[in-house]
Amino acid sequence: MKIFSLTFLLLINISVLNNAYAETPSSEIDHLIAYVARSNCDFIRNGSSHPSSEAVEHMQNKYKYFRKKIKTAEQFIEMSASKSTLSGKPYWIKCPDRKEVPSQAWLLEELSRYRQNK
């Protein structure tokens, strides 16, 4: 009975740890998407400017497509939010009163801030 109890507790702990790990990238990705949504910045994809609402929709669609391959927030940025899958060209961000920057750098900076404030 003691061995069963210890095994059961071990399995419960492993399950809890796996769930905690699985939720972390998802919560970080949710944060990044929300950050984009409220950014009031323009997103430049393949030379065309798009408002943040369109950028969010585009990122979410790419995230759905690549979801099985994405295990970290960094992979989300790389696969869904930093470059065109078709042309390979990087996405750019143009926020009011700021210099245009690559979306990858912009999102990685926010991810770093988010992790520091957790």
Side-chain angles (χ1 to χ4, degrees), residues 13-31:
N13 284 334
I14 290 170
S15 175
V16 168
L17 287 172
N18 283 340
N19 285 340
Y21 176 76
E23 289 173 10
T24 300
S26 179
S27 65
E28 291 176 343
I29 292 167
D30 290 344
H31 171 77

Side-chain angles (χ1 to χ4, degrees), residues 63-97:
Y63 182 41
K64 287 176 191 173
Y65 181 80
F66 289 115
R67 184 177 293 267
K68 290 182 181 180
K69 294 180 179 181
I70 294 173
K71 305 292 183 224
T72 67
E74 287 85 357
Q75 288 174 329
F76 164 76
I77 293 168
E78 176 65 28
M79 294 181 191
S80 302
S82 66
K83 66 182 175 190
S84 170
T85 305
L86 298 175
S87 72
K89 291 181 180 180
Y91 297 158
W92 291 81
I93 308 295
K94 177 64 176 126
C95 298
D97 302 322

Side-chain angles (χ1 to χ4, degrees), residues 9 12 15 24 36-37 44 76 91 94 99 105-106 112-113:
L9 288 174
I12 292 295
S15 175
T24 300
V36 170
I44 298 128
F76 164 76
Y91 297 158
K94 177 64 176 126
K99 184 180 172 185
W106 187 76
S112 178
R113 262 194 306 272

